[in-house]
Amino acid sequence: QVHLVESGGGVVQPGRSLRLSCTPSGFIFSNYAMNWVRQVPGKGLEWVVVISFDGTNQHYGDSVKGRFTISRDNSNNTLYLQMNSLRVDDSGVYYCARALEMAINDAFDLWGQGTLVTVSS
Amino acid sequence: IVLTQSPGTLSVSPGESATLSCRASQRVGSAYIAWYQFRPGQAPRLLLDGTFRRAAGIPDKFSGGVSGSEFTLTISRLEPEDFAVYYCHQYGTPPYTFGQGTPLEIK
């Protein structure tokens, strides 16, 4: 079956770091661009970042630029999100999401269940 | 690009139809608009991409439209599992953006 599973969420103090992982199954991971999207409790969705299928191209949302880094290991089928200098307003459910086709700008046809990040002192 | 969804909440009876709206603050090509369904406890689901194209496994009761900068999602013959939160999404130019969501409730 085709799945994405996020992990690595938790409670962290402001200013600290956290690394999220996303593990795919049931498809050829290296064929797809991948995204991270977050949902703040009681609010809507915010796109965070996208990475191309081969990792050579990334685009970041303005609120995370310079603090978050996306990467991927196609040989080990894992997507990462390194989050540094975390702020309270980074709290939320983080989803990894697959782009529909190989293009970096495409709809998200497969989502994980999400992992919760809470930034609090 | 800001996407504004309306109404804030939509209450409809089962068996009826619902039309949700998504208005873009700037021009967005219809090739770059998608709609998603969010249900509690489930992974989000892509319904439509390119404004009109249904994703794999999505029944034809879900349809998309556009008029100027307003994109619409119409759901006909509403069933209990259709009551959820719906988001529009533009992925033409980073930063990609989502609408604020429209909860579809049972009347």
Side-chain angles (χ1 to χ4, degrees):
Chain A
Q1 255 195 335
V2 181
H3 279 307
L4 293 169
V5 177
E6 303 92 340
S7 61
V11 180
V12 62
Q13 293 179 326
R16 305 298 290 261
S17 298
L18 204 60
R19 188 176 81 160
L20 306 183
S21 300
C22 172
T23 304
S25 60
F27 65 96
I28 301 173
F29 177 62
S30 58
N31 282 356
Y32 294 89
M34 297 293 298
N35 296 263
W36 288 97
V37 178
R38 65 187 181 188
Q39 184 171 29
V40 178
K43 296 190 179 181
L45 296 170
E46 181 184 9
W47 171 79
V48 175
V49 59
V50 63
I51 187 168
S52 59
F53 70 98
D54 59 359
T56 59
N57 195 8
Q58 305 104 38
H59 295 285
Y60 291 87
D62 291 341
S63 63
V64 306
K65 207 172 291 184
R67 299 188 299 122
F68 289 13
T69 302
I70 191 172
S71 61
R72 64 190 299 161
D73 183 342
N74 284 346
S75 59
N76 288 310
N77 284 344
T78 307
L79 176 73
Y80 300 103
L81 182 65
Q82 178 67 42
M83 304 186 293
N84 298 333
S85 303
L86 280 162
R87 309 191 294 226
V88 171
D89 62 1
D90 291 319
S91 299
V93 176
Y94 282 72
Y95 297 95
C96 64
R98 185 182 77 175
L100 179 60
E101 295 175 5
M102 194 174 276
I104 199 167
N105 59 333
D106 214 334
F108 306 162
D109 73 326
L110 180 67
W111 297 63
Q113 295 269 11
T115 186
L116 179 62
V117 172
T118 303
V119 184
S120 174
S121 53
Chain B
I1 298 173
V2 176
L3 300 179
T4 302
Q5 292 187 238
S6 61
T9 301
L10 186 57
S11 297
V12 183
S13 300
E16 296 186 341
S17 296
T19 296
L20 290 69
S21 172
C22 173
R23 189 175 294 276
S25 63
Q26 303 173 37
R27 187 187 183 282
V28 178
S30 59
Y32 301 106
I33 289 289
W35 289 88
Y36 303 91
Q37 180 189 67
F38 276 62
R39 290 195 291 224
Q42 297 187 17
R45 183 166 76 147
L46 172 67
L47 300 174
L48 303 174
D49 75 287
T51 298
F52 306 102
R53 184 171 72 170
R54 281 186 294 277
I58 301 302
D60 62 6
K61 60 186 289 183
F62 293 90
S63 61
V66 60
S67 176
S69 63
E70 182 181 21
F71 299 86
T72 58
L73 169 68
T74 298
I75 313 168
S76 59
R77 308 182 301 277
L78 283 164
E79 300 173 85
E81 59 266 29
D82 298 328
F83 293 93
V85 182
Y86 292 86
Y87 292 90
C88 59
H89 167 216
Q90 73 80 18
Y91 48 94
T93 305
Y96 308 140
T97 50
F98 293 88
Q100 78 276 26
T102 292
L104 178 59
E105 300 180 343
I106 298 176
K107 188 173 182 179

PDB file of all heavy atoms in Angstrom, chain A residues 92-107:
ATOM      1  N   GLY A  92       2.365  23.045  15.634  1.00  0.00           N
ATOM      2  CA  GLY A  92       1.298  22.575  14.760  1.00  0.00           C
ATOM      3  C   GLY A  92       1.525  21.137  14.350  1.00  0.00           C
ATOM      4  O   GLY A  92       2.490  20.489  14.780  1.00  0.00           O
ATOM      5  N   VAL A  93       0.628  20.646  13.524  1.00  0.00           N
ATOM      6  CA  VAL A  93       0.777  19.315  12.944  1.00  0.00           C
ATOM      7  C   VAL A  93       1.513  19.466  11.620  1.00  0.00           C
ATOM      8  O   VAL A  93       1.093  20.250  10.763  1.00  0.00           O
ATOM      9  CB  VAL A  93      -0.586  18.642  12.722  1.00  0.00           C
ATOM     10  CG1 VAL A  93      -0.407  17.300  12.023  1.00  0.00           C
ATOM     11  CG2 VAL A  93      -1.311  18.464  14.053  1.00  0.00           C
ATOM     12  N   TYR A  94       2.586  18.721  11.483  1.00  0.00           N
ATOM     13  CA  TYR A  94       3.398  18.785  10.271  1.00  0.00           C
ATOM     14  C   TYR A  94       3.112  17.555   9.418  1.00  0.00           C
ATOM     15  O   TYR A  94       3.244  16.415   9.887  1.00  0.00           O
ATOM     16  CB  TYR A  94       4.885  18.862  10.623  1.00  0.00           C
ATOM     17  CG  TYR A  94       5.298  20.246  11.058  1.00  0.00           C
ATOM     18  CD1 TYR A  94       4.898  20.750  12.294  1.00  0.00           C
ATOM     19  CD2 TYR A  94       6.074  21.058  10.239  1.00  0.00           C
ATOM     20  CE1 TYR A  94       5.255  22.026  12.698  1.00  0.00           C
ATOM     21  CE2 TYR A  94       6.440  22.334  10.629  1.00  0.00           C
ATOM     22  CZ  TYR A  94       6.027  22.810  11.855  1.00  0.00           C
ATOM     23  OH  TYR A  94       6.389  24.086  12.252  1.00  0.00           O
ATOM     24  N   TYR A  95       2.735  17.826   8.173  1.00  0.00           N
ATOM     25  CA  TYR A  95       2.461  16.761   7.220  1.00  0.00           C
ATOM     26  C   TYR A  95       3.549  16.737   6.156  1.00  0.00           C
ATOM     27  O   TYR A  95       3.961  17.794   5.662  1.00  0.00           O
ATOM     28  CB  TYR A  95       1.143  16.996   6.495  1.00  0.00           C
ATOM     29  CG  TYR A  95      -0.093  17.007   7.340  1.00  0.00           C
ATOM     30  CD1 TYR A  95      -0.626  18.190   7.831  1.00  0.00           C
ATOM     31  CD2 TYR A  95      -0.777  15.818   7.616  1.00  0.00           C
ATOM     32  CE1 TYR A  95      -1.792  18.209   8.584  1.00  0.00           C
ATOM     33  CE2 TYR A  95      -1.948  15.823   8.365  1.00  0.00           C
ATOM     34  CZ  TYR A  95      -2.443  17.022   8.851  1.00  0.00           C
ATOM     35  OH  TYR A  95      -3.598  17.026   9.588  1.00  0.00           O
ATOM     36  N   CYS A  96       3.951  15.544   5.762  1.00  0.00           N
ATOM     37  CA  CYS A  96       4.688  15.458   4.509  1.00  0.00           C
ATOM     38  C   CYS A  96       3.687  15.092   3.423  1.00  0.00           C
ATOM     39  O   CYS A  96       2.683  14.405   3.679  1.00  0.00           O
ATOM     40  CB  CYS A  96       5.852  14.479   4.561  1.00  0.00           C
ATOM     41  SG  CYS A  96       5.445  12.752   4.823  1.00  0.00           S
ATOM     42  N   ALA A  97       3.941  15.585   2.237  1.00  0.00           N
ATOM     43  CA  ALA A  97       2.987  15.404   1.147  1.00  0.00           C
ATOM     44  C   ALA A  97       3.736  15.243  -0.162  1.00  0.00           C
ATOM     45  O   ALA A  97       4.669  15.995  -0.454  1.00  0.00           O
ATOM     46  CB  ALA A  97       2.034  16.597   1.069  1.00  0.00           C
ATOM     47  N   ARG A  98       3.301  14.298  -0.939  1.00  0.00           N
ATOM     48  CA  ARG A  98       3.931  13.984  -2.223  1.00  0.00           C
ATOM     49  C   ARG A  98       3.322  14.830  -3.339  1.00  0.00           C
ATOM     50  O   ARG A  98       2.090  14.996  -3.390  1.00  0.00           O
ATOM     51  CB  ARG A  98       3.733  12.501  -2.533  1.00  0.00           C
ATOM     52  CG  ARG A  98       4.441  12.002  -3.766  1.00  0.00           C
ATOM     53  CD  ARG A  98       4.136  10.538  -4.020  1.00  0.00           C
ATOM     54  NE  ARG A  98       2.810  10.328  -4.603  1.00  0.00           N
ATOM     55  CZ  ARG A  98       2.357   9.139  -5.011  1.00  0.00           C
ATOM     56  NH1 ARG A  98       3.118   8.064  -4.876  1.00  0.00           N
ATOM     57  NH2 ARG A  98       1.148   9.027  -5.528  1.00  0.00           N
ATOM     58  N   ALA A  99       4.172  15.347  -4.208  1.00  0.00           N
ATOM     59  CA  ALA A  99       3.667  16.015  -5.402  1.00  0.00           C
ATOM     60  C   ALA A  99       3.130  14.971  -6.363  1.00  0.00           C
ATOM     61  O   ALA A  99       3.667  13.866  -6.484  1.00  0.00           O
ATOM     62  CB  ALA A  99       4.768  16.839  -6.060  1.00  0.00           C
ATOM     63  N   LEU A 100       2.090  15.348  -7.064  1.00  0.00           N
ATOM     64  CA  LEU A 100       1.361  14.409  -7.918  1.00  0.00           C
ATOM     65  C   LEU A 100       2.268  13.768  -8.967  1.00  0.00           C
ATOM     66  O   LEU A 100       2.208  12.568  -9.210  1.00  0.00           O
ATOM     67  CB  LEU A 100       0.195  15.139  -8.585  1.00  0.00           C
ATOM     68  CG  LEU A 100      -0.690  14.363  -9.547  1.00  0.00           C
ATOM     69  CD1 LEU A 100      -1.349  13.183  -8.831  1.00  0.00           C
ATOM     70  CD2 LEU A 100      -1.761  15.274 -10.121  1.00  0.00           C
ATOM     71  N   GLU A 101       3.101  14.590  -9.589  1.00  0.00           N
ATOM     72  CA  GLU A 101       4.008  14.063 -10.602  1.00  0.00           C
ATOM     73  C   GLU A 101       5.405  14.572 -10.309  1.00  0.00           C
ATOM     74  O   GLU A 101       5.652  15.078  -9.228  1.00  0.00           O
ATOM     75  CB  GLU A 101       3.494  14.452 -11.991  1.00  0.00           C
ATOM     76  CG  GLU A 101       2.152  13.798 -12.316  1.00  0.00           C
ATOM     77  CD  GLU A 101       1.570  14.250 -13.635  1.00  0.00           C
ATOM     78  OE1 GLU A 101       2.222  15.005 -14.372  1.00  0.00           O
ATOM     79  OE2 GLU A 101       0.429  13.841 -13.926  1.00  0.00           O
ATOM     80  N   MET A 102       6.317  14.468 -11.209  1.00  0.00           N
ATOM     81  CA  MET A 102       7.710  14.762 -10.933  1.00  0.00           C
ATOM     82  C   MET A 102       7.970  16.262 -10.778  1.00  0.00           C
ATOM     83  O   MET A 102       8.945  16.659 -10.155  1.00  0.00           O
ATOM     84  CB  MET A 102       8.599  14.192 -12.042  1.00  0.00           C
ATOM     85  CG  MET A 102      10.066  14.164 -11.682  1.00  0.00           C
ATOM     86  SD  MET A 102      11.080  13.340 -12.913  1.00  0.00           S
ATOM     87  CE  MET A 102      10.897  11.637 -12.407  1.00  0.00           C
ATOM     88  N   ALA A 103       7.084  17.092 -11.290  1.00  0.00           N
ATOM     89  CA  ALA A 103       7.297  18.539 -11.241  1.00  0.00           C
ATOM     90  C   ALA A 103       7.298  19.040  -9.807  1.00  0.00           C
ATOM     91  O   ALA A 103       6.573  18.522  -8.947  1.00  0.00           O
ATOM     92  CB  ALA A 103       6.204  19.252 -12.043  1.00  0.00           C
ATOM     93  N   ILE A 104       8.092  20.066  -9.560  1.00  0.00           N
ATOM     94  CA  ILE A 104       8.181  20.622  -8.212  1.00  0.00           C
ATOM     95  C   ILE A 104       6.917  21.394  -7.875  1.00  0.00           C
ATOM     96  O   ILE A 104       6.591  21.560  -6.696  1.00  0.00           O
ATOM     97  CB  ILE A 104       9.442  21.487  -8.075  1.00  0.00           C
ATOM     98  CG1 ILE A 104       9.799  21.686  -6.614  1.00  0.00           C
ATOM     99  CG2 ILE A 104       9.286  22.823  -8.798  1.00  0.00           C
ATOM    100  CD1 ILE A 104      11.191  22.247  -6.388  1.00  0.00           C
ATOM    101  N   ASN A 105       6.207  21.904  -8.856  1.00  0.00           N
ATOM    102  CA  ASN A 105       4.960  22.600  -8.574  1.00  0.00           C
ATOM    103  C   ASN A 105       3.787  21.767  -9.065  1.00  0.00           C
ATOM    104  O   ASN A 105       3.393  21.803 -10.223  1.00  0.00           O
ATOM    105  CB  ASN A 105       4.943  24.007  -9.200  1.00  0.00           C
ATOM    106  CG  ASN A 105       5.124  24.005 -10.698  1.00  0.00           C
ATOM    107  OD1 ASN A 105       5.732  23.095 -11.255  1.00  0.00           O
ATOM    108  ND2 ASN A 105       4.571  25.003 -11.358  1.00  0.00           N
ATOM    109  N   ASP A 106       3.275  21.000  -8.143  1.00  0.00           N
ATOM    110  CA  ASP A 106       2.147  20.133  -8.478  1.00  0.00           C
ATOM    111  C   ASP A 106       1.289  19.956  -7.240  1.00  0.00           C
ATOM    112  O   ASP A 106       1.715  20.242  -6.108  1.00  0.00           O
ATOM    113  CB  ASP A 106       2.640  18.790  -8.993  1.00  0.00           C
ATOM    114  CG  ASP A 106       1.711  18.212 -10.055  1.00  0.00           C
ATOM    115  OD1 ASP A 106       0.502  18.545 -10.038  1.00  0.00           O
ATOM    116  OD2 ASP A 106       2.185  17.443 -10.891  1.00  0.00           O
ATOM    117  N   ALA A 107       0.076  19.493  -7.454  1.00  0.00           N
ATOM    118  CA  ALA A 107      -0.817  19.219  -6.328  1.00  0.00           C
ATOM    119  C   ALA A 107      -0.243  18.083  -5.488  1.00  0.00           C
ATOM    120  O   ALA A 107       0.628  17.334  -5.923  1.00  0.00           O
ATOM    121  CB  ALA A 107      -2.208  18.872  -6.848  1.00  0.00           C
TER     122      ALA A 107
END
